[in-house]
Amino acid sequence: MSSVTAPTQAPAANPLREGLEQERVPDASSLVIFGASGDLTGRKLLPALYSLAHDGLLPAGQTIIGFARPDFTDDAFRMAMREACDKYARTRPVDNAIWENFAKGLFYVQGDFSEPSGYYRLNQKLQECDRTRGTGGRRIYYLAVPPQFFPVISELLGAEKMVTDPERGGPFTRVIIEKPFGHDLQSAKELNRVAVSTFRERQVFRIDHYLGKETVQNLLVLRFANGIFEPFWNRQYIDHVQITVAESIGVEKRGNYFDSAGITRDIIQNHMMQLLSLIAMEPPVAFEADPVRDEKVKVVRALREFPRGSEEENAVRGQYADGSVLGEKAVAYRKESNVSPESKTETFAAMKVFVDNWRWADVPFYLRAGKRLPKRVTDISIHFRPAPYPMWRKLRGVSTQPNVLAIRIQPDEGISLKFDSKVPGPSVRTAPVTMEFRYATSFGAEPPEAYERLLLETMLGDSTLFARRDEVETAWAWLDPLLNAWAADTRPPDFYPAGTWGPESADKLIERDGRKWRRP
Amino acid sequence: MTASPLHADVRVDVTAIEKHLAELWRSSKEVADDALTRAALWNVVAHTSTSETHAKASETLGKASGAVPQRTIIVRADPSAPPEIASWISANCHLVGGGKQVCSEEIAIVAGGDRVQRVPPLVNALLIPDMPVAVWWLGDLPNENEDYVLTLLEPADRLIVDSVHFDSPADLLLINRVGEKTTTMPADLNWVRLEEWRQATASIFDPPHMRARLEAIRSIRVAAGTSGSDYFGEIVESLLYAAWISAQVGHQVDALGKVEGPLGSIDYRIERRKQESDIGGISLAEITFDDGSCASITRDRERGILVTNVDGNLSFPESVTRAVVCDIDKLIVRQLKRAQSDRILLKVLPVASRLAKRVASS
């Protein structure tokens, strides 16, 4: 263990931080990235950490240690990460002076995830950093590795006594896990069992990068910081809700993984559940980790089960066929590399779900997610009930439409409200108009990347924006029967040409109810 | 900024400015349709007294409106000029991507002689409702005409000044009075310039073991870059810095500027250091502790950073903070992006004015 003994009681806050733009700066720690030679480290993690340093949000002694199998020197690792930051950091061009100082805290330890000797070397390096960089025994382990490595890494960290906890008198250790959090309920439970055998639940940070997006966080502000919405946010005024997560890309290099997962596991079980929870949750008693997550998990618990044996009534799946997206030819899913030519994996799913509670009884939430759709967009729309009495119905030129509050999560983030307005002139004619708020217009600057926010929150020890064990398991428990039914179904998914909004069955799913998908 | 038919200044009747603005937007929509968005998050009123400062305000706020869309009202009030009042309108448009432009309105009001008195009510009528109001006062505040200042500030949520132009400690007290006696909160561009110095200094005390050392401060030395003159404004940034440490750490500063900490009196030294550029900026800050060890912050101009160092018995990694010299428009943008007023500045202003007395007497 570290030779540095950290105080068990947090020292008083630094009074000089009060009122600064960077009011919250964490204590210096060592962040170990397992799988540091992988794509995620270069594309997301290091650029995010550099941008945090650039913005003055990292403490002076913050240390980052890459751990992976390939043999790198510290300098070679630094050079590779500099190239990655040059390409992907939000704050580009990279500032040499900031980089030089940042790179002084960047190290690499070669090791195999299943070999104790690597952990021994890692521990030596961590202790050295405690002495030279003031990291005080504080550790964050980022598991940027496939889930099958999680048990062995977790076990060896425990065996090498590299995990401490302030409640047991030591400095903090936290572990960040990337999705997928399991493949189904059973594997999720197993993953969580392994996690809590080494770490306590509050030391585990399950990262869902959607929660790091400004616009997703803004859902809570929109709902609970504005007095006008909450009175209407219920079954009395809302007709239905639509959530669309569309990607224009196919599976790219992820054919292997995706073919065993499908869009439901890849997007709906995690990102979409988060969006649904934030839209449907009750106001938490405080904006703190447990009160927020308590309310979110209640939403997932309230999700109505799919009707056994007739799941297709409320859920459809599709798979893209040949087509074109954004003017480019796109090949069918089954022709993608590392995908079985007979694959039945769904690249599109649409479902009608109900949150069975007092607020949302019988209000349908229509969810759809897919690959190779016309464009990349994530959009939530709240469709209000029509005006109660059609007093204009006898007049020609008047056809009122329900109000829609649309929340654009990405890209071109913003919120719009559609309402009817009188067309100027001597007669009464109406037309829908929209009132728009766009982040780029109002706030100009590029918002921080999701990973920046989430890494910083982990360093600060705030798990509000991370998924909790029960959230993950409850979502799997709800989805498992549907996934099992699909797996048992010998029919292929409904095909749709790449570049369209999914199969016809998805349109029928909503049109049966006299509604239609909003074009996002 | 991109070329736009809205750019040209159009002289309009003072009594019908809003009507002319509406016409301007209607005609521009016919040309550009959806590619053009009219937006405003703030009303920003710039108060100038000469054509040079008027031009400077227009250019600066034109740039700033790209980051913070605003209705800009630039007032040029000169009581010694002939008695007339005139107005112009134009727009500042900025590309925001996807071929879209966001445009902000700019209204110029030029008043001379006794017509100057008509400016505050006219400005009041031109403010966009429900949007906050910032008044940017260019140059030194008129100590002798406080009523005029207060009338113009009546609807303002924020008063933006640049204390580098202050000619006496009384100006610090005046903006402090504005903050204490009105609902207008003062905001100082010099204070914004100090943000990186404050951040670098705070970073020294971030490690848990350093926090207790705040109580062990025995002396603070700040070097202010000056032009060689003894103009008061050139040391205000340094004064604010020193006052900030005292205010936040809880030192007692008496009316004569004598500072007492938990371990006794604290030696404050503000040194004038002649330099060619960055006049008024801090070039060095040094904090000495009771054990003789010292923390220092220096500006590395070439690399655009502040470097902090702590010596003595402590092992401490060097820390760097980005400190690029900012243009006025960027300082204003940073100021307007703060949704809340800066309560720390209000704490610091009276302390700074007391410390100023000590500097004057040393």
Side-chain angles (χ1 to χ4, degrees):
Chain A
M1 240 331 287
S2 158
S3 57
V4 178
T5 310
T8 50
Q9 243 186 343
N14 179 355
L16 300 183
R17 283 275 164 206
E18 191 187 355
L20 284 177
E21 282 173 28
Q22 294 78 4
E23 196 161 301
R24 295 189 312 159
V25 172
D27 291 338
S29 61
S30 288
L31 169 65
V32 181
I33 302 174
F34 287 88
S37 58
D39 208 34
L40 182 71
T41 306
R43 269 180 177 264
K44 295 288 181 189
L45 304 184
L46 256 295
L49 289 162
Y50 163 75
S51 293
L52 288 172
H54 176 274
D55 290 353
L57 290 164
L58 291 189
Q62 184 60 43
T63 301
I64 297 145
I65 303 175
F67 184 90
R69 200 180 296 156
D71 208 0
F72 281 125
T73 61
D74 286 341
D75 282 341
F77 183 59
R78 286 172 188 150
M79 210 180 293
M81 292 305 111
R82 169 65 195 246
E83 279 174 24
C85 290
D86 284 334
K87 259 193 198 165
Y88 302 116
R90 172 180 57 88
T91 47
R92 280 178 288 160
V94 170
D95 182 313
N96 285 330
I98 299 293
W99 171 263
E100 279 165 26
N101 196 57
F102 175 74
K104 283 180 194 164
L106 200 52
F107 305 95
Y108 184 83
V109 173
Q110 189 277 330
D112 192 296
F113 300 142
S114 53
E115 279 294 322
S117 58
Y119 293 77
Y120 176 78
R121 286 193 299 278
L122 176 62
N123 208 4
Q124 296 295 306
K125 173 55 83 178
L126 285 166
Q127 289 179 29
E128 181 192 320
C129 292
D130 288 339
R131 289 189 298 273
T132 59
R133 297 189 55 78
T135 45
R138 294 173 286 271
R139 313 275 187 258
I140 298 170
Y141 300 118
Y142 197 121
L143 306 193
V145 296
Q148 64 265 29
F149 290 109
F150 182 51
V152 68
I153 293 173
S154 185
E155 187 186 319
L156 285 170
L157 285 173
E160 294 295 319
K161 302 201 182 329
M162 293 166 73
V163 177
T164 57
D165 186 353
E167 284 198 3
R168 294 169 183 163
F172 71 70
T173 300
R174 296 172 188 141
V175 62
I176 305 177
I177 315 172
E178 271 283 337
K179 73 162 188 133
F181 313 123
H183 187 77
D184 52 20
L185 177 60
Q186 194 186 342
S187 57
K189 279 186 168 171
E190 176 57 17
L191 204 58
N192 286 330
R193 189 197 59 75
V194 169
V196 295
S197 66
T198 305
F199 303 95
R200 291 182 173 201
E201 173 59 25
R202 61 184 159 66
Q203 294 178 287
V204 182
F205 289 68
R206 295 175 189 82
I207 210 164
D208 182 329
H209 74 268
Y210 256 55
L211 287 174
K213 289 180 185 290
E214 287 286 331
T215 36
V216 173
Q217 292 160 36
N218 193 39
L219 290 174
L220 288 178
V221 176
L222 176 79
R223 287 194 56 197
F224 302 128
N226 295 295
I228 61 165
F229 295 117
E230 199 49 24
F232 305 105
W233 212 264
N234 55 51
R235 66 186 305 275
Q236 200 178 342
Y237 296 98
I238 292 176
D239 177 73
H240 73 283
V241 177
Q242 295 184 23
I243 305 178
T244 298
V245 178
E247 291 182 351
S248 57
I249 56 169
V251 290
E252 298 191 308
K253 293 176 187 164
R254 298 169 68 224
N256 252 339
Y257 159 72
F258 192 88
D259 207 35
S260 66
I263 201 80
T264 311
R265 288 185 173 90
D266 196 39
I267 300 283
I268 294 179
Q269 189 275 341
N270 37 71
H271 303 329
M272 235 167 186
M273 280 299 107
Q274 294 296 342
L275 297 180
L276 174 63
S277 304
L278 292 169
I279 285 292
M281 70 193 274
E282 296 298 319
V285 291
F287 186 65
E288 287 166 12
D290 279 331
V292 170
R293 298 188 298 182
D294 286 346
E295 296 305 334
K296 278 163 59 190
V297 79
K298 280 184 202 166
V299 174
V300 188
R301 276 196 203 115
L303 288 173
R304 189 184 296 173
E305 284 179 18
F306 292 97
R308 297 283 165 104
S310 49
E311 287 83 2
E312 65 273 16
E313 279 176 21
N314 285 356
V316 301
R317 59 192 172 132
Q319 189 186 85
Y320 60 84
D322 288 332
S324 70
V325 180
L326 299 170
E328 299 280 323
K329 189 179 168 207
V331 298
Y333 175 71
R334 289 178 172 188
K335 295 178 192 165
E336 300 268 21
S337 58
N338 297 319
V339 169
S340 159
E342 279 93 41
S343 174
K344 288 198 305 164
T345 300
E346 83 285 1
T347 62
F348 176 96
M351 45 190 79
K352 178 167 74 167
V353 307
F354 292 93
V355 180
D356 282 339
N357 63 16
W358 194 270
R359 184 190 288 261
W360 296 111
D362 295 327
V363 175
F365 286 71
Y366 297 96
L367 317 181
R368 64 176 167 171
K371 287 192 168 291
R372 284 292 190 212
L373 300 188
K375 62 180 178 182
R376 171 180 168 261
V377 62
T378 300
D379 181 276
I380 301 168
S381 52
I382 317 293
H383 297 249
F384 290 88
R385 291 186 187 280
Y389 176 67
M391 61 188 276
W392 314 107
R393 68 187 160 183
K394 289 179 185 164
L395 298 177
R396 288 180 62 195
V398 177
S399 73
T400 54
Q401 295 185 24
N403 304 120
V404 178
L405 180 72
I407 303 155
R408 178 71 76 91
I409 303 293
Q410 65 178 11
D412 203 9
E413 297 85 347
I415 297 169
S416 69
L417 178 66
K418 189 177 89 169
F419 58 92
D420 281 320
S421 175
K422 180 179 176 297
V423 177
S427 57
V428 178
R429 294 173 65 199
T430 61
V433 293
T434 53
M435 224 161 45
E436 291 213 332
F437 151 71
R438 294 205 182 275
Y439 269 79
T441 304
S442 296
F443 299 122
E446 194 91 341
E449 285 280 328
Y451 276 97
E452 289 175 37
R453 178 73 197 269
L454 295 172
L455 284 164
L456 185 63
E457 293 298 312
T458 310
M459 291 176 195
L460 290 163
D462 187 340
S463 52
T464 308
L465 300 177
F466 296 82
R468 202 169 58 187
R469 175 183 186 163
D470 52 352
E471 267 181 278
V472 173
E473 291 182 4
T474 311
W476 278 122
W478 174 69
L479 270 175
D480 258 7
L482 175 69
L483 291 167
N484 292 338
W486 280 349
D489 192 341
T490 52
R491 293 170 297 174
D494 300 333
F495 293 103
Y496 61 96
T500 64
W501 285 105
E504 274 181 36
S505 51
D507 293 334
K508 285 180 186 154
L509 173 83
I510 191 167
E511 285 165 5
R512 271 201 302 268
D513 299 337
R515 303 180 178 105
K516 61 178 190 174
W517 291 108
R518 176 173 179 274
R519 181 169 47 80
Chain B
M1 216 181 334
T2 55
S4 158
L6 299 172
H7 276 164
D9 281 341
V10 181
R11 184 166 178 158
V12 296
D13 182 2
V14 173
T15 59
I17 293 173
E18 287 288 9
K19 184 176 158 237
H20 290 295
L21 278 171
E23 275 169 19
L24 183 73
W25 288 112
R26 211 164 29 243
S27 60
S28 66
K29 275 281 177 192
E30 283 164 13
V31 179
D33 199 26
D34 283 350
L36 204 138
T37 305
R38 178 189 190 185
L41 290 178
W42 277 91
N43 293 287
V44 180
V45 181
H47 190 276
T48 70
S49 49
T50 65
S51 56
E52 289 77 27
T53 50
H54 182 126
K56 182 184 162 195
S58 176
E59 186 193 346
T60 304
L61 294 177
K63 286 183 194 163
S65 65
V68 181
Q70 57 192 257
R71 172 172 280 193
T72 305
I73 302 171
I74 301 177
V75 173
R76 192 202 316 167
D78 182 2
S80 62
E84 60 181 6
I85 187 162
S87 59
W88 288 261
I89 57 170
S90 62
N92 296 305
C93 296
H94 301 263
L95 273 177
V96 291
K100 290 192 175 173
Q101 290 191 82
V102 175
C103 296
S104 293
E105 301 149 337
E106 182 174 320
I107 302 165
I109 299 166
V110 176
D114 62 355
R115 307 289 160 88
V116 166
Q117 300 305 323
R118 299 184 192 175
V119 169
L122 176 59
V123 167
N124 219 328
L126 290 169
L127 299 172
I128 300 175
D130 297 328
M131 288 283 162
V133 180
V135 172
W136 175 28
W137 202 282
L138 279 86
D140 190 24
L141 284 168
N143 272 305
E144 68 284 357
N145 195 358
E146 202 172 313
D147 281 349
Y148 177 75
V149 178
L150 293 178
T151 315
L152 197 65
L153 291 183
E154 200 271 320
D157 300 281
R158 209 167 286 184
L159 165 65
I160 301 175
V161 296
D162 192 347
S163 58
V164 78
H165 300 298
F166 286 2
D167 60 8
S168 77
D171 287 338
L172 290 174
L173 291 174
L174 174 60
I175 59 165
N176 188 49
R177 268 204 306 281
V178 168
E180 282 177 348
K181 293 188 175 167
T182 71
T183 55
T184 305
M185 297 306 285
D188 182 2
L189 299 184
N190 233 354
W191 180 247
V192 184
R193 287 187 194 98
L194 208 52
E195 177 89 15
E196 279 78 16
W197 282 90
R198 290 165 61 206
Q199 192 187 321
T201 309
S203 77
I204 292 172
F205 299 96
D206 278 337
H209 67 272
M210 285 297 293
R211 234 153 288 170
R213 297 176 68 79
L214 280 167
E215 302 211 335
I217 292 174
R218 296 313 303 261
S219 77
I220 293 175
R221 184 177 146 234
V222 192
T226 69
S227 61
S229 79
D230 57 358
Y231 188 69
F232 175 70
E234 293 180 356
I235 61 160
V236 174
E237 191 177 329
S238 302
L239 274 174
L240 290 172
Y241 174 78
W244 164 68
I245 295 179
S246 278
Q248 289 306 101
V249 175
H251 295 159
Q252 300 300 314
V253 183
D254 70 14
L256 297 171
K258 195 166 172 250
V259 186
E260 286 288 326
L263 301 179
S265 70
I266 294 168
D267 181 28
Y268 266 81
R269 269 184 291 162
I270 310 279
E271 297 172 3
R272 288 175 177 268
R273 193 178 273 189
K274 191 180 172 188
Q275 57 191 43
E276 295 301 313
S277 61
D278 194 21
I279 306 299
I282 299 174
S283 53
L284 164 81
E286 213 172 67
I287 301 167
T288 309
F289 303 101
D290 63 339
D291 63 357
S293 65
C294 175
S296 68
I297 306 148
T298 50
R299 181 188 281 280
D300 182 336
R301 280 200 182 77
E302 218 162 273
R303 297 198 296 158
I305 52 169
L306 301 179
V307 181
T308 64
N309 225 305
V310 181
D311 64 16
N313 299 324
L314 296 155
S315 159
F316 189 86
E318 186 184 72
S319 144
V320 301
T321 305
R322 246 177 114 250
V324 182
V325 177
C326 275
D327 293 333
I328 301 286
D329 60 287
K330 294 199 175 76
L331 296 175
I332 287 182
V333 165
R334 283 173 69 173
Q335 187 55 251
L336 295 178
K337 284 203 167 180
R338 293 189 80 121
Q340 309 296 326
S341 58
D342 195 332
R343 60 195 187 282
I344 306 296
L345 176 62
L346 274 190
K347 265 169 84 178
V348 167
L349 283 169
V351 181
S353 64
R354 276 177 248 148
L355 284 180
K357 287 181 192 156
R358 177 186 174 130
V359 173
S361 65
S362 65

